[in-house]
């Protein structure tokens, strides 16, 4: 399947340079993002390829639109993380992280390890800390993932949706196929697989989740889940 870019590779590189120079005009010399662009685009193709939804497809091709804020927010993280992870390049990664905050209101540090398949949905005001994230993670606006006062971060299973204004903080282990409802606050609480969580800690309610997160938010051809929660 072809990966269609709204800007040719050289124009995308020039666009990124212009954004950095305009929004962070500190005069410091930093490497060009071109060095890590192809690898970051490969990761974006893999990530976006898991999302069978509007704006991510154009006929039989995957689509990356530099004017789509959700896609650009994910790509800026991937580019920053790639530069830092592969070569320890912090000067560029730091500026790309800051640029993401300026453009999209997203606090997603370059050293955070996101899963291969994740989806940001107009993520203004979202903060994603150094949790252990499972694959097929979808995050809406104004969500928070972070540590408790002891510095312990959550652990997510495969298939999680964080709806708007939800927070997951501290020593939490979430099973597979979990939905955190809008305005829900989870603190130092484990969540079993196949659950929908609503409410505010310590008064949380955990309801059965009978829909596959992967099918609902990513690939409709994903595994079918039985009533017991097993994949087939």
């Amino acid at each position: 399947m072809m990966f269609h870019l709204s800007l040719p590779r050289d124009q995308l590189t020039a666009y990124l340079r212009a954004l950095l120079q305009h929004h962070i005009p500190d005069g410091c010399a930093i490497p060009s993002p071109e060095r890590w662009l192809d690898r970051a685009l490969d990761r974006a193709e893999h990530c976006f390829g898991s999302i069978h939804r509007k704006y991510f497809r154009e006929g039989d091709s995957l689509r990356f639109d530099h004017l789509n804020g959700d896609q650009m927010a994910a790509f800026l993280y991937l580019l920053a993380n790639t530069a830092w992870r592969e070569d320890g390049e912090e000067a560029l990664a730091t500026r790309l992280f800051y640029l993401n905050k300026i453009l999209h209101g997203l606090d997603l540090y370059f050293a955070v390890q996101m899963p291969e398949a994740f989806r940001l949905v107009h993520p203004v005001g979202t903060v994603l800390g150094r949790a252990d994230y499972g694959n097929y993670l979808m995050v809406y606006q104004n969500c928070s993932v972070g540590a408790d006062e002891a510095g312990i971060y959550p652990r997510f299973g495969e298939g999680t949706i964080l709806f708007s204004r939800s927070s997951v903080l501290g020593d939490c282990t979430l099973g597979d196929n979990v939905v955190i409802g809008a305005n829900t606050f989870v603190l130092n609480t484990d969540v079993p697989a196949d659950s929908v969580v609503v409410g505010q800690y310590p008064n949380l309610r955990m309801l059965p989740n009978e829909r596959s997160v992967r099918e609902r938010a990513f690939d409709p051809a994903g595994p079918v889940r039985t009533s017991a929660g097993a994949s087939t």
Side-chain angles (χ1 to χ4, degrees):
M1 181 176 291
M2 296 292 293
F3 189 37
H4 176 73
L5 305 179
S6 58
L7 287 177
R9 183 185 179 281
D10 58 340
Q11 291 185 32
L12 179 59
T13 301
Y15 178 68
L16 291 167
R17 288 174 180 162
L19 286 175
L20 289 167
Q21 291 170 0
H22 177 75
H23 290 286
I24 312 175
D26 58 5
C28 294
I30 59 171
S32 169
E34 183 177 12
R35 176 174 173 179
W36 298 277
L37 192 70
D38 287 339
R39 178 62 184 132
L41 286 172
D42 286 344
R43 293 176 67 187
E45 181 177 5
H46 182 79
C47 180
F48 295 173
S50 68
I51 304 172
H52 291 244
R53 293 295 183 269
K54 185 179 180 181
Y55 304 121
F56 288 87
R57 301 281 164 154
E58 187 173 277
D60 294 330
S61 299
L62 296 175
R63 182 181 183 186
F64 170 36
D65 184 351
H66 70 288
L67 297 180
N68 182 302
D70 295 358
Q71 294 180 10
M72 193 62 176
F75 179 70
L76 286 176
Y77 157 76
L78 289 169
L79 182 57
N81 178 258
T82 299
W84 173 77
R85 188 174 71 177
E86 295 190 353
D87 292 293
E89 175 46 57
E90 292 196 24
L92 176 63
T94 298
R95 285 162 176 78
L96 290 169
F97 159 67
Y98 187 27
L99 180 64
N100 220 353
K101 293 179 73 173
I102 293 169
L103 294 178
H104 307 112
L106 171 67
D107 191 317
L108 176 50
Y109 194 54
F110 59 81
V112 171
Q113 189 55 52
M114 294 292 283
E116 292 184 355
F118 67 94
R119 181 179 170 193
L120 304 173
V121 186
H122 36 78
V124 176
T126 285
V127 180
L128 297 176
R130 301 192 192 202
D132 182 0
Y133 297 103
N135 237 353
Y136 303 107
L137 171 71
M138 182 164 77
V139 184
Y140 281 80
Q141 71 271 20
N142 295 120
C143 293
S144 296
V145 176
D148 59 10
E149 292 183 354
I152 301 175
Y153 285 88
R155 298 161 296 279
F156 292 79
E158 180 174 292
T160 306
I161 299 177
L162 299 176
F163 278 112
S164 60
R165 294 182 178 273
S166 63
S167 298
V168 181
L169 305 178
D171 189 4
C172 307
T173 298
L174 280 64
D176 296 342
N177 203 47
V178 166
V179 175
I180 308 297
N183 301 302
T184 296
F185 173 47
V186 181
L187 173 66
N188 295 334
T189 302
D190 291 344
V191 178
D194 302 297
S195 296
V196 176
V197 186
V198 295
Q200 302 282 312
Y201 173 85
N203 300 311
L204 293 167
R205 288 194 299 152
M206 299 188 191
L207 311 172
N209 180 24
E210 299 178 354
R211 299 179 63 188
S212 164
V213 166
R214 179 174 174 179
E215 293 178 16
R216 178 177 180 179
F218 291 89
D219 183 356
V224 177
R225 302 186 71 85
T226 67
S227 58
S231 299
T232 60

